C-alpha cells in the first residue's frame, strides 16, 4: 500500500491517493481534481474508488466529478441527504479496492454523519494499515463541532470524544494517521500540533481528546476554544450535498480599461493581489487589497470578508491571477473576471484603468505609531476577539477584519492606525477603510514586536 499526500496549504487541508500499485482509492479530493489525476498518472494507477469522510464545510468537493470522470465508485455515507447517485456506505462495511480492504468506521463529531476509513493491505499478514480520519482525529486535536448548528455543538463534542476512542481501537497502534483537516484549516480546534505525520499510537499518548479521562472536562475545554470561522462555510455543505460541478480554472480575457473603471465607480469588488505595501503606496481608488502568495489564508479571508456571490474582478500578474482563480474555485467562487498585467507595478496598475483616480495611504511599523500618533487617533485591532483578549495595545478598538464591513460606522471619525498579528489582515482592513473614504495608516508589523518598540500593551 502506498499513500500519496495531496496538500492544499491555502485551506489547511490534505487529500489522499491510496493505491496498491494498480488501483487507487481517493479520499476527500478538492475541487481541482487535476492534481489528483496527476498523482494517479505518476503512480501508474487507475482510480476505482473515491471516498468522502463527510459533507465538507470548508471547501467544495471534487469527489463527484472525479468519480464520474473515471467511472469510480463514489463512497458517501448512506445517511447523508444528497441529490446525486453515490455508493451508500455505513459503519462496519468492508470494501475491496484491489488488494486493499477498506473498513468504514462511523465517527460522528465533526458532523453527525462523519466517517473514517481504516485501510489494510491484505497482501501482508495483518497489515500494514492506514487510517483516514477526515475531521475526526487530527494531529494533537480534533475537528471542531460547531459547524452544523449551535444547538448541536455540545452533543457533537461528546460524540467526538467517543468517536476518536472508537477509531483508535479499530486500528493497530503503528498505523499511520491521515487526517483531512488540521494543517491550518479553520475546521480544527484545540491544541493542534504542527507535526507533519503521526500514528494512531502516538496520538493515543499525546492527543488531548484521548488523554483526558474526563469527558465533560474535554467537552468544556473544546467549547471554550472554539473561535470564529469563515462566513462562506455556511454555503459549502449545501453545495456539496447538491453535487458540485467541475471547476473552471481558465483565466478570462482581461477586462478593458473602460469596463474596469465602470466597475470601480459602481462599487464592485476589484481585488488587488499585490503586496499590501505596494497597494498602500498606489492603487486604483475603490479597489481592495488581498495580498496573494504569502501563506496568509488568502482564500479564507477573501471568502470571509467579501459578501457572498458578488461580482469579483482580480487585479494582478497572470501567474497570481491563475493561482487565485484555482484557490477561489475550491470554495465555490467561480469564474471571477480579471484585469491582468505582466507584473503590475504602481504605474502599470494605473495603466489598466487610466481614467480612474489613484489613491494611497501611509504605512509603517510600531515606531511610526509611537512617533506620529495623536491623542485623538484610533488604534484599530482587527484580530479575533480571543487574540485581543490575550493581549492588545492599550486603548485599542477591536473589530475583527471579517466584521469590519458591517461595523465600519463604529470606527470613530479620526485617523485610524490599523494592525493585526502579522500585517496581512491589517492590509485587508486598511484597504476597506480607505475604500470607505477613511483616514487610515497601515501598521505593517507583527503584534509581538509592539511592546519591544515601546507601545503600551494591556492584557
Amino acid at each position: 500500500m502506498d499513500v500519496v499526500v495531496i496538500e492544499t496549504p491555502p485551506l489547511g487541508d490534505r487529500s489522499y491517493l491510496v493505491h496498491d500499485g494498480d488501483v487507487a482509492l481517493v479520499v476527500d479530493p478538492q475541487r481541482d481534481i487535476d492534481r489528483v489525476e496527476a498523482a494517479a498518472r505518476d503512480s501508474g494507477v487507475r482510480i476505482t474508488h473515491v471516498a468522502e469522510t463527510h459533507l465538507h464545510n470548508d471547501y467544495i468537493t471534487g469527489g463527484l466529478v472525479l468519480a464520474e470522470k473515471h467511472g469510480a465508485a463514489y463512497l458517501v455515507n448512506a445517511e447523508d441527504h444528497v441529490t446525486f447517485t453515490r455508493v451508500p456506505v455505513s459503519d462496519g462495511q468492508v470494501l475491496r479496492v484491489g488488494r486493499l480492504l477498506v473498513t468504514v468506521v462511523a465517527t460522528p463529531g465533526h458532523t453527525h454523519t462523519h466517517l473514517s476509513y481504516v485501510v489494510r493491505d491484505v497482501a501482508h499478514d495483518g497489515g500494514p494499515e492506514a487510517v483516514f480520519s477526515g475531521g475526526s482525529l487530527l494531529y494533537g486535536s480534533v475537528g471542531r463541532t460547531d459547524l452544523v448548528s449551535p444547538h448541536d455543538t455540545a452533543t457533537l463534542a461528546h460524540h467526538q470524544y467517543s468517536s476518536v476512542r472508537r477509531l483508535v481501537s479499530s486500528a493497530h497502534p503503528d498505523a499511520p494517521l491521515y487526517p483531512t483537516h488540521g494543517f491550518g484549516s479553520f475546521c480544527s480546534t484545540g491544541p493542534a500540533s504542527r507535526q507533519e505525520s503521526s500514528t494512531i499510537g502516538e496520538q493515543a499518548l499525546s492527543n488531548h481528546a484521548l488523554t483526558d479521562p474526563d469527558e465533560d472536562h474535554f467537552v468544556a475545554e473544546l467549547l471554550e476554544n472554539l473561535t470564529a470561522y469563515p462566513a462562506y462555510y455556511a454555503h459549502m455543505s449545501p453545495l456539496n450535498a447538491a453535487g458540485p460541478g467541475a471547476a473552471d480554472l481558465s483565466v478570462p480575457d482581461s477586462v478593458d480599461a473602460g469596463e474596469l473603471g465602470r466597475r470601480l465607480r459602481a462599487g464592485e469588488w476589484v481585488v488587488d493581489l499585490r503586496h499590501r505595501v505596494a497597494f498602500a503606496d498606489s492603487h486604483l481608488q475603490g479597489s481592495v487589497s488581498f495580498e496573494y502568495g504569502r501563506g496568509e489564508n488568502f482564500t479564507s479571508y477573501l471568502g470571509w470578508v467579501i459578501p457572498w456571490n458578488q461580482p469579483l474582478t482580480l487585479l494582478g500578474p497572470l501567474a497570481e491571477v491563475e493561482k487565485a482563480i484555482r484557490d477561489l474555485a475550491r470554495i465555490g467562487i467561480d469564474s471571477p473576471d480579471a484585469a491582468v498585467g505582466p507584473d503590475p507595478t504602481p504605474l502599470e496598475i494605473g495603466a489598466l484603468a487610466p481614467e480612474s483616480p489613484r489613491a494611497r495611504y501611509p504605512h509603517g511599523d510600531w515606531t511610526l505609531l509611537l512617533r506620529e500618533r495623536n491623542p485623538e487617533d484610533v488604534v484599530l485591532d482587527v484580530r479575533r476577539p480571543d487574540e485581543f483578549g490575550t493581549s492588545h495595545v492599550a486603548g485599542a478598538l477591536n473589530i475583527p477584519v471579517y466584521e469590519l464591513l458591517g461595523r465600519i460606522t463604529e470606527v470613530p471619525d479620526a485617523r485610524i492606525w490599523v494592525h493585526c498579528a502579522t500585517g496581512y489582515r491589517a492590509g485587508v482592513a486598511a484597504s476597506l477603510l480607505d475604500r470607505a473614504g477613511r483616514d487610515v495608516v497601515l501598521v505593517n508589523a507583527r503584534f509581538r514586536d509592539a511592546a519591544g518598540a515601546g507601545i503600551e500593551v494591556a492584557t
Side-chain angles (χ1 to χ4, degrees), residues 3-252:
V3 179
V4 180
V5 179
I6 302 162
E7 296 197 66
T8 307
L11 294 177
D13 290 328
R14 289 179 176 177
S15 305
Y16 301 97
L17 179 84
V18 195
H19 67 84
D20 65 356
D22 181 29
V23 297
L25 163 73
V26 178
V27 180
D28 288 345
Q30 293 271 342
R31 195 180 185 193
D32 50 329
I33 63 172
D34 56 336
R35 297 182 298 153
V36 177
E37 293 174 319
R41 286 194 302 272
D42 291 345
S43 299
V45 297
R46 294 178 294 112
I47 297 171
T48 61
H49 293 74
V50 179
E52 302 285 6
T53 58
H54 59 294
L55 293 179
H56 301 283
N57 290 288
D58 66 330
Y59 67 85
I60 299 294
T61 182
L64 179 60
V65 171
L66 183 66
E68 290 179 341
K69 184 175 179 180
H70 292 267
Y74 189 30
L75 313 181
V76 177
N77 196 324
E79 296 182 14
D80 283 327
H81 299 290
V82 297
T83 62
F84 50 82
T85 301
R86 44 79 191 271
V87 176
V89 292
S90 302
D91 181 49
Q93 191 170 343
V94 180
L95 303 100
R96 188 77 179 244
V97 181
R99 71 167 190 256
L100 306 178
L101 285 183
V102 182
T103 301
V104 182
V105 182
T107 48
H110 189 48
T111 67
H112 288 292
T113 58
H114 192 284
L115 300 174
S116 297
Y117 300 93
V118 178
V119 181
R120 181 167 64 88
D121 189 336
V122 296
H124 299 268
D125 185 21
E129 288 182 332
V131 177
F132 299 87
S133 58
S136 181
L137 183 63
L138 310 182
Y139 296 162
S141 191
V142 293
R144 64 190 306 153
T145 64
D146 60 334
L147 300 180
V148 176
S149 165
H151 303 293
D152 295 338
T153 300
T155 298
L156 287 172
H158 283 283
H159 289 334
Q160 197 73 294
Y161 184 85
S162 301
S163 289
V164 295
R165 283 162 168 71
R166 183 166 186 255
L167 183 60
V168 165
S169 69
S170 301
H172 192 276
D174 291 337
L177 177 67
Y178 297 103
T180 300
H181 304 314
F183 310 97
S185 170
F186 284 98
C187 277
S188 61
T189 188
S193 72
R194 294 186 178 274
Q195 65 193 106
E196 290 297 310
S197 63
S198 187
T199 64
I200 289 294
E202 287 174 351
Q203 291 304 305
L205 295 174
S206 63
N207 192 304
H208 76 121
L210 294 165
T211 59
D212 192 333
D214 186 334
E215 180 173 345
D216 289 335
H217 175 265
F218 164 79
V219 169
E221 185 178 57
L222 185 146
L223 299 183
E224 184 179 351
N225 285 321
L226 291 173
T227 59
Y229 57 85
Y232 71 83
Y233 276 26
H235 305 282
M236 299 297 97
S237 182
L239 288 171
N240 285 324
D248 180 2
L249 303 180
S250 61
V251 178

Side-chain angles (χ1 to χ4, degrees), residues 308-332:
W308 184 255
N309 204 26
Q310 294 291 308
L312 185 67
T313 304
L314 301 177
L315 183 65
L318 178 60
E320 291 191 351
V321 169
E322 285 182 322
K323 293 174 184 176
I325 286 174
R326 177 181 290 269
D327 286 350
L328 295 176
R330 294 173 181 147
I331 63 169

